[in-house]
Coordinates of all heavy atoms in Angstrom, one line a residue:
A193 N -5.2 11.0 -1.6 CA -6.6 10.7 -1.2 C -6.6 10.0 0.1 O -6.2 8.9 0.3 CB -7.3 9.8 -2.3
D194 N -7.0 10.7 1.2 CA -7.0 10.3 2.6 C -8.3 9.7 2.9 O -9.3 10.4 3.2 CB -6.6 11.4 3.5 CG -6.3 11.0 4.9 OD1 -6.4 9.8 5.2 OD2 -5.9 11.8 5.7
E195 N -8.4 8.3 3.0 CA -9.6 7.6 3.3 C -10.8 8.2 2.5 O -11.8 8.6 3.1 CB -9.9 7.7 4.8 CG -8.7 7.1 5.7 CD -8.8 5.6 5.8 OE1 -9.6 5.0 5.1 OE2 -8.0 5.1 6.6
P196 N -10.8 8.2 1.2 CA -11.8 9.0 0.4 C -13.2 8.4 0.5 O -14.1 9.1 0.0 CB -11.2 9.0 -1.0 CG -10.4 7.7 -1.1 CD -9.8 7.6 0.3
T197 N -13.3 7.2 0.9 CA -14.7 6.6 0.9 C -15.2 6.1 2.2 O -16.2 5.4 2.4 CB -14.7 5.4 -0.1 OG1 -13.8 4.4 0.4 CG2 -14.4 5.8 -1.5
T198 N -14.5 6.6 3.3 CA -14.8 6.1 4.7 C -16.3 6.3 5.0 O -16.9 5.5 5.7 CB -13.9 6.7 5.7 OG1 -12.6 6.3 5.4 CG2 -14.3 6.3 7.1
D199 N -16.8 7.5 4.7 CA -18.1 7.9 5.2 C -19.2 7.6 4.2 O -20.4 8.1 4.3 CB -18.2 9.4 5.5 CG -17.3 9.8 6.7 OD1 -17.1 8.9 7.5 OD2 -16.8 10.9 6.7
L200 N -18.9 6.7 3.2 CA -19.9 6.4 2.1 C -20.4 5.0 2.3 O -19.6 4.1 2.7 CB -19.3 6.6 0.7 CG -18.7 8.0 0.5 CD1 -18.1 8.1 -0.9 CD2 -19.8 9.1 0.6
D201 N -21.6 4.7 1.8 CA -22.1 3.3 1.8 C -21.3 2.5 0.7 O -20.6 3.1 -0.1 CB -23.6 3.3 1.6 CG -24.0 3.8 0.2 OD1 -23.5 3.3 -0.8 OD2 -24.9 4.7 0.2
L202 N -21.5 1.2 0.8 CA -20.7 0.3 -0.1 C -20.9 0.6 -1.6 O -19.9 0.5 -2.4 CB -20.9 -1.1 0.2 CG -20.4 -1.6 1.6 CD1 -20.9 -3.1 1.9 CD2 -18.9 -1.5 1.7
V203 N -22.1 0.9 -2.0 CA -22.4 1.1 -3.4 C -21.7 2.4 -3.9 O -21.0 2.4 -4.9 CB -23.9 1.2 -3.6 CG1 -24.2 1.7 -5.1 CG2 -24.6 -0.1 -3.3
L204 N -21.7 3.4 -3.0 CA -21.1 4.7 -3.4 C -19.6 4.5 -3.3 O -18.8 5.1 -4.1 CB -21.5 5.8 -2.5 CG -22.9 6.5 -2.8 CD1 -23.2 7.5 -1.8 CD2 -22.8 7.1 -4.2
Q205 N -19.1 3.7 -2.4 CA -17.6 3.5 -2.3 C -17.1 2.9 -3.6 O -16.1 3.4 -4.2 CB -17.3 2.5 -1.2 CG -17.3 3.1 0.2 CD -16.9 2.1 1.3 OE1 -16.0 1.3 1.0 NE2 -17.5 2.1 2.4
R206 N -17.8 1.9 -4.1 CA -17.4 1.3 -5.4 C -17.4 2.3 -6.5 O -16.5 2.3 -7.3 CB -18.3 0.1 -5.7 CG -18.1 -0.6 -7.0 CD -16.8 -1.3 -7.1 NE -16.6 -1.8 -8.4 CZ -16.9 -3.1 -8.8 NH1 -17.5 -3.9 -7.9 NH2 -16.7 -3.6 -10.0
R207 N -18.4 3.1 -6.6 CA -18.5 4.1 -7.7 C -17.4 5.1 -7.6 O -16.8 5.5 -8.6 CB -19.9 4.8 -7.6 CG -21.1 3.9 -8.0 CD -22.4 4.6 -7.8 NE -23.5 3.8 -8.1 CZ -24.8 4.1 -7.9 NH1 -25.1 5.3 -7.3 NH2 -25.7 3.3 -8.2
I208 N -17.1 5.6 -6.4 CA -16.0 6.6 -6.2 C -14.7 6.0 -6.5 O -13.9 6.6 -7.2 CB -16.1 7.2 -4.8 CG1 -17.3 8.0 -4.5 CG2 -14.8 8.0 -4.5 CD1 -17.5 9.2 -5.4
L209 N -14.4 4.8 -6.1 CA -13.2 4.1 -6.3 C -13.0 3.8 -7.8 O -11.9 4.0 -8.4 CB -13.1 2.8 -5.5 CG -13.0 2.9 -4.0 CD1 -13.0 1.6 -3.4 CD2 -11.8 3.7 -3.6
D210 N -14.1 3.4 -8.5 CA -14.0 3.2 -9.9 C -13.6 4.5 -10.7 O -12.9 4.6 -11.6 CB -15.3 2.7 -10.5 CG -15.5 1.2 -10.2 OD1 -14.5 0.5 -9.9 OD2 -16.7 0.7 -10.3
Q211 N -14.3 5.6 -10.2 CA -14.0 6.9 -10.8 C -12.6 7.3 -10.6 O -11.9 7.9 -11.5 CB -15.0 8.0 -10.2 CG -15.2 9.2 -11.1 CD -15.9 8.8 -12.4 OE1 -17.0 8.2 -12.3 NE2 -15.3 9.1 -13.5

Side-chain angles (χ1 to χ4, degrees):
D194 188 357
E195 302 279 7
T197 60
T198 295
D199 293 333
L200 304 178
D201 63 55
L202 290 176
V203 174
L204 279 176
Q205 283 186 39
R206 174 66 181 270
R207 291 175 181 171
I208 294 296
L209 293 176
D210 283 344
Q211 204 65 55

